[in-house]
Amino acid sequence: MRDERPILGKIVIEGQMVCLTGLHIGARREAMKIGGIDLPVVRDPITEFPYVPGSSLKGKMRSLLERKMNKDFNANVGGVRIHSCSDENCEICRLFGSTPMREEGENIPSRLAVRDLFLTKDSKDKLEDIETGLRYTEWKFENAIDRITSAANPRQIERVPAGSVFQLEIIYTVENKEHLKEDLKNLFSAMRLLEDDYLGGHGSRGYGKVKFALSKIEYRKGDWYATGKNEYKREWQVKDIDEALAKIDSIADF
Ligand SMILES: [Zn+2]
């Protein structure tokens, strides 16, 4: 069964992710070697601009959806408890993929691909000009107070400043038309849940509030990749998640 994974088409969702508060997606310190900062952000090694790994956004959407659907956290990936099963009808695992914990379990590849998110040109230009002592970012002291000794443990946390905008591209592979509507609905509701949650670290301190501004959704059928003919491709203009949700029936009818 699992061998049959036809690509009926791809649905490409484009837009932007706006940081409404400072965003901290951490890099391993030894990998970054940025002097003085305790908790640096992840950066593109070539351009040195901060970016958002697609896996960070995807992982957060998955975890929010797992909790909303009250799935059991039966797997442990790198010390983080997640839900993972080999039921091909599981709404979480068919959308986000699963790696079975037992040998006899089947691997379910993800239908979702979330590209790494890079800053828009406008945001790069603005961040070139800020003077914080760090390139394109700001830093903030946060105090953790020891509850027993009352000793303060101040740490410098680097963050992408509020107002920064990242390009967003999410690709959904259509494998089963029966699942299409529900998968898209789950994806968009995960994005909406995230808007009322946070991305990255230190959300309880106010970090990581994001908003999605969409631009378009394009359905490219399998035949389009072979022929390039316009009849196999259709596009919907959407500006936000509400509009995307309202277009699902029309997308599924194409
Ligand atoms: Zn599952």
Side-chain angles (χ1 to χ4, degrees):
M1 286 293 282
R2 186 58 16 79
D3 296 323
E4 297 163 25
R5 300 183 58 86
I7 295 179
L8 304 178
K10 298 267 187 187
I11 294 177
V12 181
I13 297 151
E14 290 178 10
Q16 296 180 337
M17 186 182 80
V18 184
C19 297
L20 300 181
T21 62
L23 175 70
H24 175 87
I25 294 183
R28 286 184 310 149
R29 187 157 193 265
E30 64 272 25
M32 303 307 288
K33 294 259 192 293
I34 292 182
I37 285 286
D38 296 311
L39 297 170
V41 299
V42 62
R43 290 173 183 269
D44 181 304
I46 307 288
T47 66
E48 294 187 0
F49 279 105
Y51 76 105
V52 176
S55 57
S56 297
L57 176 57
K58 188 180 170 193
K60 184 71 190 197
M61 290 194 296
R62 178 188 189 127
S63 98
L64 290 169
L65 209 56
E66 284 173 355
R67 285 162 59 197
K68 175 169 169 285
M69 293 182 163
N70 204 15
K71 293 275 179 182
D72 57 321
F73 301 127
N74 57 329
N76 190 316
V77 177
V80 179
R81 287 161 62 81
I82 69 161
H83 164 81
S84 185
C85 72
S86 47
D87 175 0
E88 62 193 289
N89 288 312
C90 170
E91 310 93 324
I92 294 289
C93 295
R94 73 187 191 209
L95 192 54
F96 294 94
S98 82
T99 309
M101 296 298 115
R102 292 182 305 279
E103 277 182 20
E104 69 270 24
E106 286 180 285
N107 185 53
I108 304 180
S110 175
R111 286 178 184 166
L112 272 191
V114 180
R115 305 276 199 220
D116 289 345
L117 292 83
F118 296 103
L119 287 161
T120 61
K121 168 139 194 342
D122 189 48
S123 275
K124 281 183 184 170
D125 289 347
K126 281 183 185 147
L127 293 174
E128 293 271 10
D129 296 333
I130 61 168
E131 288 180 20
T132 60
L134 293 174
R135 296 196 72 187
Y136 321 121
T137 56
E138 62 180 359
W139 57 274
K140 206 166 167 287
F141 262 118
E142 298 287 2
N143 252 324
I145 307 291
D146 187 293
R147 295 297 181 269
I148 309 293
T149 65
S150 294
N153 174 27
R155 294 179 303 173
Q156 298 149 316
I157 301 176
E158 186 182 26
R159 29 184 237 178
V160 176
S164 302
V165 182
F166 291 88
Q167 288 293 349
L168 172 78
E169 188 183 35
I170 297 175
I171 297 138
Y172 169 80
T173 300
V174 185
E175 295 176 348
N176 181 338
K177 289 279 277 185
E178 301 287 305
H179 292 164
L180 177 54
K181 279 191 199 182
E182 196 178 35
D183 282 353
L184 289 181
K185 197 172 121 249
N186 287 335
L187 167 64
F188 294 134
S189 66
M191 293 169 78
R192 192 140 72 173
L193 269 172
L194 177 52
E195 290 185 338
D196 283 343
D197 205 274
Y198 61 90
L199 183 63
H202 311 283
S204 64
R205 295 177 189 267
Y207 291 41
K209 178 175 183 179
V210 298
K211 175 123 189 106
F212 294 104
L214 300 182
S215 54
K216 68 171 183 180
I217 299 174
E218 191 164 292
Y219 192 160
R220 301 166 187 167
K221 290 200 165 170
D223 287 339
W224 180 78
Y225 291 92
T227 65
K229 286 187 178 165
N230 279 336
E231 63 193 277
Y232 298 119
K233 192 170 75 168
R234 194 170 153 194
E235 140 182 346
W236 293 261
Q237 304 293 326
V238 292
K239 68 174 191 302
D240 55 27
I241 294 168
D242 283 349
E243 287 193 2
L245 282 162
K247 294 285 196 293
I248 287 179
D249 284 345
S250 162
I251 293 167
D253 283 344
F254 176 58

